[in-house]
Amino acid sequence: MSLHSPLHLMSVVGARPQFIKLAALHAALSDFPQFRHSIVHSGQHYDPEMSQAFFDEFHLPAPDVFLQIGSAPHNVQIGKGILALDEVFSSLQPDLVLVYGDTNTTAAAAIAATKRNIPVAHIEAGLREFDKSIPEETNKLIADALADIWFAPTHTAVEQLAKEGKTTNVCFTGDIVIDLLARRYGGVSSEAQKKEIAFLTCHRAVNTDNAERLKSILEAVTNLPMPVIFSVHPRTATAISLHGLDSYLASPRIIVNKPISFWETQQLIRESCCVITDSGGVIKEAYFHQTPCIIIDEQTEWVESVDEGWATVAGAGVKKIINAVMDRKVPLGSSQALGDGKAGYRILQFLNDFFHDQS
Ligand code: UD1
């Protein structure tokens, strides 16, 4: 490694939320010519609206390497990812691998890079849901156990890393997706005129793999007084058919969409009177847009949103969801607890200092 030649940072991404985080980092890279950046796409997500659409929307360069690990059970997907990434790391020898969030691609990249003695930096480190039955939780634990640098989006995440003995090479950044939102909408949180519509997303295994929970969620949202716009993940579409719940999608109360673009999603979150979701990404985006959020899960890693009164953990019970929507509160403003729009800059500045100290 030499500071005279550009340091090679390699981002490994593969799932929809990672393309969005990559876009925020990519925008910040123009101020850091000391870095050469390459992109490896694992192929975990492959449908055009789950993958290419984001590269187009954010004008991202095409991935330098496209692997085709595709859909598979968790261990198979992670195993295929490790095998494919091992070859990439061995032939391209990056100076550092950046892993994002908590998908199977994240875990595979952290394992494969560590086994090749390549430093790993984890963007969105330190978040915990304290339940190892959640697939994303084990991916977070693997990535954080193996990382050399931890980019923490919240102070709660920094504290959690400290509890786990990680105090050096931990950098508080704020959430990197807030960078994109702050640039587009101005400021660090932004409230728009709301309409009497609710926006629903539901894709976490805890809901899609459990027919009773999925039915209960659909029963609740089709009994709300306002129309509900439902952006349906492919996993959820399959689960609805499998569990014989298609009739709910025919309800006049629900407007069904295929997965939509990032900025269309933001506009819907921004204009809705509330969002109903199990997505961590949507929870923090709702916080930014000052839209009350009903979490159809048993916990969240974005505890700041709950603490400030913007989000309510409702679970999947029909009455609990309906009551949470009807009793939703609109707190007076929000703090910048989930980010101030400068995460990408902080990440790259930290990496610059990290390599400088090592030279
Ligand atoms: C993954 C991440 C999750 C993230 C989500 C964003 C894991 C464990 N979970 O969940 O953290 O929030 O991405 O969307 O990595 N499928 C398609 N087309 C695609 C991709 C997937 O039809 O392009 C279908 C397949 O049936 C597949 C299923 O969706 O089996 C699940 O995909 P997968 O990537 O395993 O997990 P996600 O639910 O997308």
Side-chain angles (χ1 to χ4, degrees):
M1 165 182 23
S2 153
L3 285 185
H4 300 295
S5 57
L7 288 155
H8 181 185
L9 307 182
M10 179 177 278
S11 285
V12 181
V13 291
R16 186 166 59 162
Q18 296 171 325
F19 309 137
I20 298 162
K21 290 163 200 166
L22 171 68
L25 188 89
H26 188 259
L29 271 163
S30 56
D31 290 334
F32 291 84
Q34 61 273 48
F35 295 128
R36 176 164 78 83
H37 182 233
S38 63
I39 301 170
V40 178
H41 187 324
S42 71
Q44 178 173 344
H45 286 176
Y46 42 83
D47 284 347
E49 67 269 20
M50 299 287 286
S51 173
Q52 185 59 42
F54 294 94
F55 284 80
D56 295 343
E57 187 173 17
F58 292 113
H59 306 290
L60 283 169
D64 298 84
V65 180
F66 190 87
L67 306 168
Q68 293 184 321
I69 67 165
S71 299
H74 293 286
N75 282 332
V76 178
Q77 197 171 47
I78 292 173
K80 284 169 85 174
I82 294 170
L83 286 176
L85 287 164
D86 184 53
E87 277 188 34
V88 175
F89 296 155
S90 145
S91 67
L92 298 182
Q93 294 286 328
D95 293 306
L96 180 125
V97 167
L98 284 160
V99 300
Y100 299 70
D102 56 13
T103 74
N104 289 343
T105 295
T106 315
I111 294 168
T114 304
K115 288 287 184 187
R116 284 276 169 196
N117 294 320
I118 299 167
V120 172
H122 184 201
I123 295 179
E124 226 181 58
L127 297 176
R128 297 287 180 269
E129 293 182 82
F130 305 104
D131 179 353
K132 277 199 266 183
S133 71
I134 302 169
E136 288 77 7
E137 181 78 353
T138 48
N139 292 336
K140 294 183 223 281
L141 291 170
I142 290 167
D144 280 341
L146 297 179
D148 301 278
I149 299 172
W150 297 269
F151 292 119
T154 61
H155 290 296
T156 311
V158 173
E159 284 162 23
Q160 181 59 33
L161 289 165
K163 282 183 199 157
E164 296 174 14
K166 298 169 176 81
T167 49
T168 52
N169 291 336
V170 172
C171 172
F172 168 77
T173 59
D175 181 69
I176 194 162
V177 176
I178 303 289
D179 290 18
L180 297 170
L181 302 180
R183 198 169 318 125
R184 160 82 59 130
Y185 297 104
V188 290
S189 84
S190 159
E191 187 185 10
Q193 202 64 38
K194 306 296 186 201
K195 297 178 186 160
E196 268 308 289
I197 50 166
F199 178 55
L200 167 69
T201 78
C202 173
H203 76 278
R204 288 275 198 130
V206 66
N207 290 325
T208 58
D209 293 358
N210 181 323
E212 279 311 307
R213 281 185 72 103
L214 191 55
K215 181 174 184 217
S216 174
I217 291 164
L218 293 169
E219 178 75 22
V221 298
T222 47
N223 279 288
L224 290 173
M226 71 281 279
V228 175
I229 300 182
F230 184 15
S231 178
V232 188
H233 185 290
R235 167 203 276 281
T236 318
T238 307
I240 287 172
S241 296
L242 189 73
H243 302 318
L245 302 171
D246 297 275
S247 59
Y248 283 104
L249 299 189
S251 159
R253 309 300 306 154
I254 206 162
I255 301 157
V256 179
N257 275 333
K258 284 182 85 175
I260 49 176
S261 79
F262 179 74
W263 292 120
E264 283 173 310
T265 303
Q266 297 315 307
Q267 209 50 39
L268 275 173
I269 296 173
R270 198 171 165 75
E271 291 176 354
S272 297
C273 65
C274 72
V275 302
I276 304 162
T277 190
D278 56 12
S279 153
V282 173
I283 293 166
K284 67 195 173 193
E285 289 152 11
Y287 174 87
F288 176 88
H289 294 298
Q290 301 198 4
T291 304
C293 179
I294 313 307
I295 301 174
I296 42 175
D297 203 343
E298 302 310 313
Q299 69 285 304
T300 177
E301 64 268 58
W302 300 103
V303 290
E304 292 76 5
S305 186
V306 177
D307 292 346
E308 288 188 27
W310 285 101
T312 306
V313 178
V318 178
K319 278 199 185 130
K320 281 197 173 160
I321 295 172
I322 294 176
N323 289 344
V325 172
M326 302 314 287
D327 299 342
R328 68 189 180 278
K329 299 202 176 49
V330 182
L332 284 175
S334 67
S335 73
Q336 301 177 16
L338 300 188
D340 63 359
K342 298 186 186 108
Y345 175 83
R346 290 197 187 99
I347 288 168
L348 293 168
Q349 190 59 48
F350 189 94
L351 290 177
N352 178 70
D353 298 346
F354 174 82
F355 283 114
H356 202 268
D357 290 348
Q358 298 223 319
S359 66

